[in-house]
Amino acid sequence: MILKKYSYNDISQFSKKDLQYINLDPKLNDFYNLKPDLESFEKAINAKSKQAIDRVLLTEVLKEQCDKFPDNEKSIKNIELLKKENSFTIITAHQPSLLTGPLYYIFKIASAINLCNTLNEKLKTYNYIPLFITGGEDHDFEEINHVKIFNDKITWDAADWNGGSVGRLKPETLEDTILKVVNLIGDKSHAGSWLLEHGIPLAKTSINYSEFARHLTHRLFSKFGLVILSMDDERLKEKFSSIIQLEVLEQKSQALVEKTQAELASSGWKSQAHAREINFFYLENDQRLRIIKDGENYGLQGSPITWSASEMAKEIEKNPAKFSPNVVMRPLFQEFILPNLAYIGGGGEIAYWLERKRQFDSFEIPFPMLIRRNSALILNNHQTKNLKKSGQDLSYFFHPKDNLTNIFLEAEVADEISLDNFREEIEPIVRKIVAQAKTADPTLEKFAEAELTKWEKSMSTIEGKIKKAYKVKQEIQINRILKTHEALFPDNGLQERKENIFPLINEYGWELIDFLVENLDPLDRQLSVISQSS
């Protein structure tokens, strides 16, 4: 495999806000604690070491969840290390996307493992464990129920879903969905045969969809000792119940987050997450209902259930597992429970984490280092061939798609299109015409200038028609360039947001996962481009 790297700053497909954090714009200094570099980890360790972490409980939950996975020796070893006070996690997280969903699901995990390997090699006083948190309490089924294979969108139709926690869904009906994927990528292929061997049995035996997603991810990364955690555990929520009490009964977060969002807005940042008065849901009868405050009482949106303040306090104490954090409280939950130093996420995730620092300070929880995950572009054989046929270097396609036609014509036939040389020759004549008209009658000057302006517009019209004619002549090459751009950057966005890992495993083999783990260094702020030939 061949690896090339390109600066994020040269690639138009990265948003200005994403680049602002990648480049550590000073305007953002007040919204994070530590720069994402090796030198900052000692400071992160000092801050986290002051927080009381129930490591015994944590390892108990992790081992219980991991015990169901095969080939789990390295993961169990890392879980045991977490009992020690000198052991810390590097976290990344994602919803349980169908069959890992878009590529960045994989890139996040590879980035976390790579960083832990670097830290364990260079800062040997401590142990660093890669930990992946899989979501699932949310009720955003439409976001996780599909996967794109080639140009086909495969969707899982879970008939038993009624708006509750997606992680608690029964996975039996996944079998037909997996078979559709296998039919597209081939049942004898690397990935197809693997999904038949592992995916189908998992769909039949997993207790719920959360377990299915965690089990599948473990099988992809078991050799690296990745630890995977579902936060939907009664014991963890019981430990977190003091924060649940504060948020539900005192509604601390909304004002804190909205104030930070307003400050970020002054630098052009839009709000990423809607902070509510109460940022918890209540899990009841397979539904996830938003907790609302009604005067002095508490209720559930769409339900007749109500509590007084004292009754709500008792309910939190008695049934903490029923309280499900939303996006505003989820970061606090994980950082409260885990001995974590850094969170690895995409540009959008970093943006909503930047809204949380004041909230973390108020709850007296150390704010983690924020590290932008790696982005990568993995070229399949077809894309590599088309790139060569286009006659252009990959960096040529970093421009927006709408600009490529003009860029191509400018490079290839600019002299044949432009009439600037003729304008330079004619300009002195134009000045003489205006002067002669003015000499004859001063009132003719403006008339002459107006007529000559019409002439200039005619020149521009002629120039446009010449350009259009050359576009027709170069149509084959231009279309090849535009199609290549669309294949590399679908909808003028990043491949990692659209495509899935399994078709690429078919081309590269399972060594692709090893290669990603080895090379996706999240402290190296460059796009990784992977191909099989130069």
Side-chain angles (χ1 to χ4, degrees), residues 247-315:
E247 175 61 19
V248 174
L249 299 177
E250 298 183 21
Q251 301 94 49
K252 293 185 64 173
S253 294
Q254 185 177 39
L256 296 167
V257 172
E258 288 180 349
K259 183 176 181 181
T260 306
Q261 289 174 332
E263 292 169 358
L264 282 165
S266 66
S267 298
W269 287 62
K270 294 181 180 179
S271 299
Q272 296 298 306
H274 178 55
R276 299 186 181 277
E277 185 179 20
I278 296 173
N279 293 286
F280 275 91
F281 289 80
Y282 189 83
L283 298 168
E284 179 75 6
N285 297 327
D286 293 327
Q287 289 186 302
R288 187 170 181 261
L289 305 173
R290 185 160 63 87
I291 300 172
I292 55 176
K293 197 165 188 295
D294 184 12
E296 297 299 317
N297 293 325
Y298 297 84
L300 302 176
Q301 191 173 47
S303 169
I305 296 175
T306 60
W307 297 271
S308 66
S310 60
E311 289 171 337
M312 175 58 82
K314 291 178 181 177
E315 180 65 16

Side-chain angles (χ1 to χ4, degrees), residues 385-525:
K385 290 177 182 177
N386 282 345
L387 188 58
K388 288 180 179 179
K389 286 180 181 179
S390 75
Q392 305 294 341
D393 182 76
L394 177 64
S395 59
Y396 182 85
F397 297 93
F398 295 163
H399 297 285
K401 185 177 181 180
D402 292 343
N403 296 357
L404 286 184
T405 298
N406 287 338
I407 292 171
F408 175 80
L409 293 174
E410 181 70 24
E412 299 295 325
V413 290
D415 292 340
E416 287 85 349
I417 292 173
S418 176
L419 300 180
D420 287 346
N421 291 336
F422 297 106
R423 287 187 178 92
E424 290 176 6
E425 293 177 14
I426 294 170
E427 186 177 353
I429 299 172
V430 169
R431 286 200 297 267
K432 289 179 181 179
I433 293 172
V434 172
Q436 186 168 334
K438 182 179 179 181
T439 300
D441 183 346
T443 62
L444 291 177
E445 180 181 9
K446 290 185 177 180
F447 169 77
E449 287 178 344
E451 290 299 312
L452 292 170
T453 297
K454 293 179 183 178
W455 169 83
E456 170 58 31
K457 290 180 179 178
S458 296
M459 287 278 286
S460 296
T461 299
I462 294 169
E463 195 172 53
K465 289 185 178 296
I466 293 173
K467 182 177 181 179
K468 186 175 181 180
Y470 274 105
K471 281 176 67 175
V472 173
K473 288 184 178 181
Q474 300 288 339
E475 183 176 9
I476 293 176
Q477 184 65 0
I478 289 173
N479 284 341
R480 181 178 288 128
I481 287 171
L482 295 179
K483 287 180 180 178
T484 301
H485 187 281
E486 179 62 24
L488 297 172
F489 299 100
D491 299 326
N492 207 36
L494 297 174
Q495 175 207 46
E496 63 191 30
R497 304 195 69 83
K498 300 284 186 179
E499 298 185 24
N500 179 263
I501 192 66
F502 287 110
L504 291 165
I505 286 172
N506 274 355
E507 291 205 28
Y508 284 82
W510 289 102
E511 296 82 5
L512 177 60
I513 299 290
D514 297 14
F515 192 83
L516 292 172
V517 168
E518 181 180 353
N519 290 285
L520 294 190
D521 174 8
L523 299 182
D524 178 21
R525 302 184 187 104

